[in-house]
Amino acid sequence: MGESEVTTMKITTASLDDMEWIISMADSENWNPGFQDAIAFHGADPTGYFIGLLHDQPICCISAVKYDNLAQIGYYIVKKQYRGYGYGLKLFQHAMNYLSGYNIRIDGKLPLIGMYEKSGFKTSYINNRYAGIIVKQDKSCSNIVPACLVPFDKICQYDAKYYGANRKYHLAAWLTNGTTNSLAYIDKDSILGFGAIRECQNGYRIGPLYAETLFIANQLLASLCQPYDNCKIMIEIPIKNTNGKRLVEMFQLKKVNHCATMYNKIPPPINLSNIYGLTSH
């Protein structure tokens, strides 16, 4: 393998069938993808996923999803035997060209920060990933309702406040196909919290989880996990949210990893103190 081989690699837009391969790549990296991630993420932007083909065989993948004023790169994975030859870089450059003009977000592993910085990205904040088992709690909160009962435009507006862009297509696919359950905390017709849970290869993942107070975050997290006995979860929380640490202590979750959220332009003005869980791949 060499430079001449890199030039022969073809890049194609991923089909829904290709998405299953992309998810399998994420699983091989121990990213713990959800069982419905393929259909949910593809439905959010059917043109925003790419694979690199060498001799008609897929060897690498990336996502480059567009929102109204923001875009996000993810699923950047190269098969181990093809790393270090430039295949991934060629695919990454293709994604960057596809997203030309957008403010691009990446949630990247800390060892890759230097590589992303070379492409103009700067770290905005660090997120800790926590994992653990939440014991079933027999309690209810009258303010918490299924998200499907809340007007969809309100859900979109609330999500945009903490993501920085309107993700209506993502949310439509996420709430319909991607999540096992999604809930909202309502008070006087206003959304004060929103959270979702999805079943994964290994337990469940929480995301997003937004809340105006630590109490609301606690109530939503407990309610999302309530249907499952000894619910094994993973959740990613910005370290700038000091109440996030209190939340994981309440549920006795342990830190297992971390990543950096980076942008190639000015980060959107979002209140990290109310983000208790990111939607991550």
Side-chain angles (χ1 to χ4, degrees), residues 130 214 218 221 235 237 242-255:
Y130 299 91
L214 174 60
N218 180 296
L221 182 54
I235 187 170
I237 305 176
T242 54
N243 276 335
K245 186 175 181 181
R246 295 176 61 190
L247 180 70
V248 300
E249 289 172 348
M250 290 175 180
F251 289 95
Q252 299 181 352
L253 305 178
K254 303 298 183 182
K255 187 173 77 170

Side-chain angles (χ1 to χ4, degrees), residues 189-208:
D189 294 326
S190 295
I191 301 177
L192 300 184
F194 170 58
I197 185 171
R198 74 191 197 269
E199 188 174 7
C200 298
Q201 308 292 332
N202 184 16
Y204 295 82
R205 294 182 68 170
I206 305 295

Side-chain angles (χ1 to χ4, degrees), residues 110-145:
L110 298 193
L112 298 179
I113 285 180
M115 183 193 73
Y116 294 132
E117 287 177 339
K118 292 178 181 178
S119 296
F121 288 86
K122 294 182 179 180
T123 299
S124 179
Y125 52 91
I126 305 296
N127 313 292
N128 284 336
R129 171 179 288 184
Y130 299 91
I133 294 176
I134 295 183
V135 179
K136 187 173 184 178
Q137 302 180 33
D138 293 324
K139 64 178 182 180
S140 61
C141 177
S142 60
N143 294 87
I144 294 178
V145 300

Side-chain angles (χ1 to χ4, degrees), residues 71-109:
Q72 183 160 356
I73 284 179
Y75 282 121
Y76 183 31
I77 311 171
V78 181
K79 279 188 172 183
K80 291 182 180 179
Q81 64 267 38
Y82 295 100
R83 294 175 184 176
Y85 296 99
Y87 298 107
L89 180 59
K90 180 178 179 180
L91 187 63
F92 182 79
Q93 290 173 338
H94 177 86
M96 291 293 292
N97 291 336
Y98 174 76
L99 298 177
S100 178
Y102 279 81
N103 188 4
I104 306 171
R105 168 177 168 164
I106 290 179
D107 293 332
K109 295 180 179 179

Side-chain angles (χ1 to χ4, degrees), residues 108 137 185 223 234 261:
Q137 302 180 33
Y185 187 101
S223 296
M234 293 172 58
T261 295

Side-chain angles (χ1 to χ4, degrees), residues 179-245:
T179 58
T180 310
N181 192 17
S182 55
L183 302 171
Y185 187 101
I186 305 297
D187 184 42
K188 298 178 182 178
D189 294 326
S190 295
I191 301 177
L192 300 184
F194 170 58
I197 185 171
R198 74 191 197 269
E199 188 174 7
C200 298
Q201 308 292 332
N202 184 16
Y204 295 82
R205 294 182 68 170
I206 305 295
L209 179 58
Y210 312 131
E212 304 303 305
T213 67
L214 174 60
F215 171 80
I216 293 173
N218 180 296
Q219 294 294 303
L220 279 170
L221 182 54
S223 296
L224 287 168
C225 297
Q226 190 172 27
Y228 317 106
D229 292 324
N230 296 323
C231 185
K232 184 178 181 180
I233 71 159
M234 293 172 58
I235 187 170
E236 290 86 16
I237 305 176
I239 63 172
K240 289 184 179 180
N241 180 358
T242 54
N243 276 335
K245 186 175 181 181

